[in-house]
Amino acid sequence: MSWRGDDLLISVGNTGATVNGTHIMDDDDVSLLEDGDNFNVMVNGEDEELSEKQCGMINLLHNRMQPFFEQLVHTVPADNDFCSHDTCRRYLVAREWNFFGAETQLRSTLAWRMDKNPASLMKFWQSPAFNNPYSLNLRCVGFDLLGRPIIYTCFSQV
């Protein structure tokens, strides 16, 4: 089985998988549905069930990103849930099933998550402003075209 995108030719067969003629996975690694994964409940961005091609692309992206997922979980253990097939599906849907676009975007997201560790950032409900609404430093900085006030606040000053 093979399919072609604008800049991508993916072939999945008895000998494994290739992308643009480059062998990337052996036959043992290629399975359109892995044990425990239920792709039938996922949709493809158009409220339709995933096709066999789309399931293959999700698995292919997940397999290619596995070393980065492992590095992320090692760096930020709280991000274990982020490293899933559903994350790969969401990135492929966002890039309209452009494999290399989704892979590039996912790599940059993983790098950002390893650098910033969003799980450790303070949430609003953890801030002093949540417990004391009078502690907010609110300023009216102008009005929009409909005359509604535009309010500015800086949570770091709380």
Side-chain angles (χ1 to χ4, degrees):
M1 163 187 37
S2 66
W3 57 92
R4 180 180 295 277
D6 293 338
D7 56 355
L8 175 70
L9 173 64
I10 299 176
S11 299
V12 179
N14 294 337
T15 60
T18 61
V19 174
N20 290 344
T22 304
H23 182 79
I24 59 166
M25 285 192 291
D26 294 326
D27 186 36
D28 297 337
D29 297 330
V30 176
S31 65
L32 295 176
L33 292 174
E34 292 185 355
D35 293 338
D37 291 328
N38 187 0
F39 288 115
N40 293 329
V41 297
M42 295 185 192
V43 292
N44 64 0
E46 298 174 3
D47 291 331
E48 300 170 355
E49 288 187 8
L50 294 173
S51 68
E52 189 174 320
K53 168 186 161 184
Q54 291 166 335
C55 291
M57 289 178 76
I58 291 168
N59 265 338
L60 187 61
L61 181 59
H62 190 269
N63 289 340
R64 286 182 63 149
M65 298 305 294
Q66 194 61 39
F68 300 102
F69 286 153
E70 290 170 3
Q71 185 179 2
L72 175 66
V73 170
H74 179 71
T75 307
V76 185
D79 274 353
N80 189 34
D81 292 339
F82 185 77
C83 305
S84 67
H85 283 87
D86 189 51
T87 297
C88 294
R89 182 199 58 83
R90 288 185 291 113
Y91 277 75
L92 284 163
V93 168
R95 295 281 127 220
E96 297 178 352
W97 297 95
N98 178 328
F99 185 84
F100 290 120
E103 182 180 27
T104 302
Q105 185 180 16
L106 186 52
R107 283 179 195 257
S108 67
T109 299
L110 292 174
W112 179 84
R113 291 182 83 89
M114 282 186 266
D115 183 45
K116 300 295 184 191
N117 190 1
S120 69
L121 298 177
M122 182 185 293
K123 309 290 189 279
F124 177 71
W125 59 88
Q126 297 168 330
S127 71
F130 183 76
N131 295 324
N132 183 3
Y134 299 111
S135 68
L136 293 175
N137 184 3
L138 298 172
R139 296 184 190 114
C140 182
V141 294
F143 297 92
D144 68 4
L145 296 175
L146 298 175
R148 297 174 295 199
I150 299 172
I151 307 295
Y152 170 82
T153 188
C154 183
F155 291 108
S156 67
Q157 295 178 359
V158 175

